Amino acid sequence: MAALTFHIRDFDGPLELLLALVQAHKMDLHDIPILELIDQYTAVVAEAQQAEPEIASSFLAMAAQLVEMKSRLLLPRSREAQQLGQELAGRLIEYDRCRRLAGQLRSRARGVMVYTRPPAVPERDTRYPLRHAAQTLADCWRAMAGRAKPQPLRQEVFEPIVAAPFVSVESRVVHVLRTLTAGRADHLDQLFSRKEPISATVATFLAVLELVRAGRVEIAPDGGLKVRRGRLPRLPQPQTEEQDGTN
């Protein structure tokens, strides 16, 4: 068999060189004589290393792996060696498929004009526009670092809650009926106002529910309100400690 000469620089990696050896000696990828392929690869790399001392480390690393695989293959009934040989054959089959697909894509791309331009860079100012006092920034940093001292609860924080006026549901029932009867409102949104306290809003909402449940008010799908004649709804009275049996 005539000796084949390969230049390492002509190959992108050790797998391409192994595949070239397989094709040059007309080996079957699904039944590769591993020992013969290893001998051919190590011989090519050794010869190339003498001519080109700066040979790529990937080729030398593959040569070392193949020499180790050969030493295992020489052992009788080495399952590990057989597995390594199957893995090498699988890698070569996969690499051959990728090469064929790349060749097909390359042939299709020939003669096709492709125009590209650099991506547009968005013009925006990434600087933080606000300015803060140094003490404010220091306090924020301490809070983030978990070093902030717990602030005592102040009375003015609870004053809006404690001092809020109490609005009963009964009073809002009468208010809603009077408003609707007088024609001052014909839609659900008109019964609520942002100027009123939260307690009044909640009481109005509960009053509307009681009126709907009693059949005195009907709400249309679009929020329109219609008043029906009847008795006022009977609201449940709050139980005292003596009534609910608690001491």
Side-chain angles (χ1 to χ4, degrees):
M1 183 179 297
L4 299 176
T5 303
F6 292 92
H7 298 282
I8 298 297
R9 293 183 179 180
D10 297 337
F11 300 95
D12 293 333
L15 287 179
E16 188 175 357
L17 176 57
L18 285 170
L19 189 60
L21 290 171
V22 170
Q23 295 174 349
H25 294 283
K26 298 180 180 180
M27 298 179 183
D28 186 3
L29 278 175
H30 298 275
D31 188 17
I32 301 176
I34 299 297
L35 290 176
E36 182 180 351
L37 180 62
I38 291 175
D39 292 338
Q40 294 173 0
Y41 180 87
T42 52
V44 170
V45 173
E47 182 180 356
Q49 189 176 11
Q50 294 179 358
E52 305 174 12
E54 65 280 1
I55 186 173
S57 59
S58 58
F59 291 92
L60 298 176
M62 176 61 75
Q65 295 178 8
L66 293 177
V67 170
E68 182 182 2
M69 185 186 304
K70 179 180 179 180
S71 63
R72 296 180 183 274
L73 287 170
L74 294 176
L75 298 175
R77 299 178 181 179
S78 177
R79 293 183 179 180
E80 184 178 359
Q82 294 178 359
Q83 183 178 358
L84 293 175
Q86 293 175 358
E87 291 179 358
L88 178 62
R91 292 174 62 185
L92 290 176
I93 293 174
E94 192 70 23
Y95 186 76
D96 181 60
R97 291 177 180 174
C98 294
R99 283 190 59 187
R100 293 178 185 275
L101 180 59
Q104 294 176 5
L105 295 177
R106 190 181 304 108
S107 61
R108 291 184 180 182
R110 290 175 181 172
V112 178
M113 301 296 294
V114 179
Y115 298 93
T116 60
R117 65 176 179 83
V121 180
E123 297 180 359
R124 62 175 184 175
D125 191 0
T126 58
R127 293 174 298 179
Y128 187 68
L130 303 180
R131 294 184 177 273
H132 302 281
Q135 187 60 41
T136 303
L137 297 176
D139 295 340
C140 293
W141 181 84
R142 292 193 189 95
M144 293 174 57
R147 301 180 181 179
K149 296 181 180 179
Q151 299 293 333
L153 298 178
R154 295 172 297 178
Q155 181 179 356
E156 54 267 22
V157 176
F158 297 96
E159 284 183 355
I161 302 176
V162 177
F166 174 75
V167 181
S168 65
V169 180
E170 292 87 345
S171 63
R172 301 309 287 185
V173 168
V174 177
H175 170 74
V176 170
L177 286 176
R178 288 179 177 176
T179 303
L180 296 178
T181 305
R184 294 194 298 270
D186 58 358
H187 198 274
L188 185 62
D189 294 341
Q190 297 175 351
L191 297 177
F192 301 95
S193 175
R194 293 186 178 182
K195 298 180 180 179
E196 294 182 340
I198 298 178
S199 58
T201 303
V202 174
T204 303
F205 177 74
L206 296 177
V208 173
L209 292 182
E210 291 294 336
L211 290 170
V212 172
R213 185 177 64 85
R216 290 297 309 274
V217 174
E218 181 181 351
I219 303 178
D222 60 349
L225 300 177
K226 181 179 180 181
V227 182
R228 293 182 176 181
R229 295 190 176 277
R231 296 182 178 180
L232 291 177
R234 204 168 181 185
L235 301 176
Q237 299 297 327
Q239 295 182 350
T240 61
E241 295 182 356
E242 295 180 356
Q243 292 175 339
D244 60 9
T246 58
N247 295 327

